[in-house]
Amino acid sequence: MNILPSHWYNIVPDLPKPLPPPRDPEDDYIFSRIELLPKLFPSELLDQEFTAERYIQIPGEVLDAYRRIGRPTPLVRAVNLERLLNTPARIYFKREDLSPTGSHKINTALAQAYYAKKEGVQMLTTETSAGQWGSALACACAMFDIRCLVFMTRSSYIRKPYRRILMKLYGADVVPSPSDRTEIGRRLLMENQEHPGSLGIAISEAVETCMKDGSAKYAVGSVMNFVLLHQTVIGLETMRQLEEIGEIPDVMIGCVGGGSNFSGFIFPFIGNRLKDGDFKNTEFIAVESKASPKMTEGSYIYEHGDTAGYLPMLKMYTVGRSYVPPPIHAAGLRYHAAAPILSLLIKEGLVKAVAYTQEEVLEAARVFARVEGIVPAPETAHAVKQAIVEAEHCRRRNLKKTIILCFSGHGLLDLSVFEEYGTY
Amino acid sequence: MAMVSLSGAFRKRVLMVYLTAGDPYVDSWVIETLSEHGVDIFEFGIPTARPKYDGLTIKASYRRAIESGVTLEKSFQFIEGFRLRHKVVLTYFEYARSIGLERLMSYALNAGAEGVLLPDLLIDYSEDADVYVRLCKQYGFEPIFFITSSFPYKLISEVARLNPAFIYMGLMASTGTLLPITISRNISIIKSLINNTPLLTGFAISEPKQVLECIRAGADGVVIGSAIIRLISGGGEKQHIKEELRNYISSIKEALEAPV
Ligand SMILES: Cc1ncc(COP(=O)(O)O)c(C=O)c1O
């Protein structure tokens, strides 16, 4: 069987309710964020954002790039973890850590760099915190020969030298955010020279750069429909791999920053349930950090994706764009909101959300590394924690459930975290 | 009163024009000129301070109406003041609910309108769709539904089965704001889900070539709002604007009636 799919899957036509459109603030009569979108994104990506089509062909060049970076990725059974937990459950994990930059982010980075290149864009700008997204985009830009400018939150810029170096190695221009290159950056630096930055601020800086430079466009690591669309390659592969081994998932788990790896992982399954009634008994569990508890404690409202409010408002679960989460090592989960499509599925009760603290998940990561030999990224550790919770529940109730988790990335460039916490 | 039902207007391709009731630029001669030159349906927006899906042009139009003192009652008096082939009322459900949907329907009926379009009904208030359909029946209106390309296929087919006068498909994220969206693809997908229900397409349509694209993809007509508001609010002599309106509408009508 051909595991790598030929099309991405767009879940929007199969949702239980209409997806609320992006909106401009009602009281702004001068500046339309929606009008700004074509300046920020390549046309084909905006077209994907609003398409009514269910299956979207993956361009040949992107498929080829997917193969070269190691797709399809394996689905592996965590036999040692099962044995350690003494659980009758079967645990599988989808290895998105096996990409050149160590996470799932490359799945959309390659697509975005491809469409940008095709439209003659000279440079892509973006934000990053721990650097997973920034390094994936830098890698994709290198592969498609296009310039890359990354605004990296200052705290990570200082504390995470290796991904910063990796991005530079790929030829990207990396600046600590807030920076003096943008208005919002300069304003914040005036307030505090040592401003630690946040994803929301870094997004605003990347967007502002494109507003001023017509040859640059903005690449986005999560949240937007088209990003989730590209990530469905994860779930589509997983579905075929499960078919091959004759497994039907009882529980599917993923961590949520903006929601892209988890959404890409589960949408093909939820879509089949909504369309054809398959996977009726599968539980879908989104795991977030207690440091940014948008899904478990936030509100389902219209909010901007960035701190400055340069981007349109989207209807999503959020703790508010000016919320500054405590600094945690799973920097990719510090984002203030969950993608609109994922938020709608949570609202409709199709996805359950849970939250954990940093200590809990790092301990789970240690356990996993000890038995399976793979170090989860601090973000991924949230999903691992929930998988362990489920497997232990199965042990107590003697349930032979099939648990699948999206192993979004490895933590080899986050090792200092474990030292800091003494989690060896 | 209209001679044919609202859905009856779709025996040929339809041009619907959006105007804000009470916008000082929407003079009676503007409406008369548009009507004389073949606008089939007039869609009158009730001014609101919360225009959810509107771009800068229509937002400004709402604001002008409000600032010139147009109230709910006055906007319906305005609508009542014109004898036209077909009139429909547009307002956000959020607002309709706050003043009472039934009250709004009775105002619309008294003003000679044949329908009420609530663009946010199925998006933010889908649980109230039944009430809307029931009240339409009670007031003798054919329902009208607003959808977008981000609607579930199932819901689109379902609302088509409720025999609406037409379905209004918003092609862009907000009115008057052009995005690089392949509208022909989205229209033909939607059209395939609704059988013979008339389909009007709008949002950021300003040029005849867009009209052709809509028609060729299966739309039964188009809606133009911002482009006309820009034309009448751009300054200039009345005679000159009249001339421009006439030329503009005929270029749109020509595209609309082109064989496909
Ligand atoms: C390894 C890893 N997993 C998960 C995430 C969270 O992002 P998303 O929810 O968009 O998948 C990130 C974000 O940086 C990440 O690096």
Side-chain angles (χ1 to χ4, degrees), chain A residues 49-80:
Chain A
E49 189 71 10
F50 296 100
T51 185
E53 210 168 18
R54 205 182 242 150
Y55 298 102
I56 291 145
Q57 183 145 33
I58 306 174
E61 288 91 330
V62 176
L63 266 184
D64 186 45
Y66 278 171
R67 285 194 198 93
R68 278 159 46 216
I69 56 109
R71 298 217 75 89
T73 60
L75 180 73
V76 178
R77 186 163 167 194
V79 279
N80 289 351

Side-chain angles (χ1 to χ4, degrees), chain A residues 117-191:
Chain A
K117 176 76 180 179
K118 197 174 152 203
E119 279 176 32
V121 174
Q122 305 284 312
M123 176 172 79
L124 283 174
T125 69
T126 199
E127 74 288 344
T128 200
S129 49
Q132 289 274 24
W133 165 241
S135 52
L137 188 71
C139 174
C141 284
M143 286 176 72
F144 283 101
D145 189 22
I146 181 168
R147 280 164 52 216
C148 183
L149 168 63
V150 182
F151 291 91
M152 185 174 198
T153 55
R154 182 176 310 272
S155 56
S156 296
Y157 188 89
I158 295 162
R159 281 169 42 184
K160 306 258 168 171
Y162 292 111
R163 288 212 186 84
R164 186 186 78 215
I165 296 165
L166 181 60
M167 288 185 268
K168 290 192 172 171
L169 187 62
Y170 285 128
D173 189 2
V174 188
V175 293
S177 164
S179 76
D180 60 6
R181 296 202 189 185
T182 66
E183 250 167 63
I184 171 129
R186 284 189 294 272
R187 199 168 74 223
L188 293 165
L189 280 181
M190 282 231 286
E191 288 166 18

Side-chain angles (χ1 to χ4, degrees), chain A residues 103-105 132 221-222 255-261 332-333 377 379-380 408-409:
Chain A
S103 84
H104 67 289
K105 298 279 179 185
Q132 289 274 24
S222 194
C255 64
V256 172
S260 72
N261 85 87
L333 304 196
E379 292 85 359
T380 312
S408 61

Side-chain angles (χ1 to χ4, degrees), chain A residues 12-13 15 17-19 23 25-26 28-30 34-35 38 43 46-47 50-54 274 315, chain B residues 50 52-53 56 59 63 122-124 126 149-155 174 177 179-182 185-186 189:
Chain A
V12 174
L15 289 175
K17 290 229 169 122
L19 186 66
R23 271 164 49 182
E26 283 146 359
D28 191 336
Y29 290 87
I30 295 158
I34 294 172
E35 235 173 85
S43 302
L46 277 181
D47 195 23
F50 296 100
T51 185
E53 210 168 18
R54 205 182 242 150
L274 293 166
K315 195 164 186 188
Chain B
R50 306 203 54 195
K52 291 185 189 178
Y53 308 148
L56 295 177
K59 270 164 101 171
R63 189 157 76 160
L122 297 175
I123 297 171
D124 291 333
S126 55
S149 59
S150 300
F151 265 53
Y153 291 169
K154 269 188 200 152
L155 181 61
S174 69
T177 313
L179 297 177
I181 299 172
T182 308
R185 173 203 58 220
N186 288 352
I189 292 173

Side-chain angles (χ1 to χ4, degrees), chain B residues 108-120:
Chain B
L109 189 68
N110 290 337
E114 294 171 90
V116 173
L117 174 59
L118 307 162
D120 55 342

Side-chain angles (χ1 to χ4, degrees), chain B residues 223-243:
Chain B
V223 188
I224 301 187
S226 302
I228 289 183
I229 295 176
R230 277 197 296 270
L231 218 155
I232 60 175
S233 63
E237 293 291 311
K238 171 175 164 183
Q239 235 14 68
H240 177 69
I241 296 176
K242 257 190 171 176
E243 183 71 19

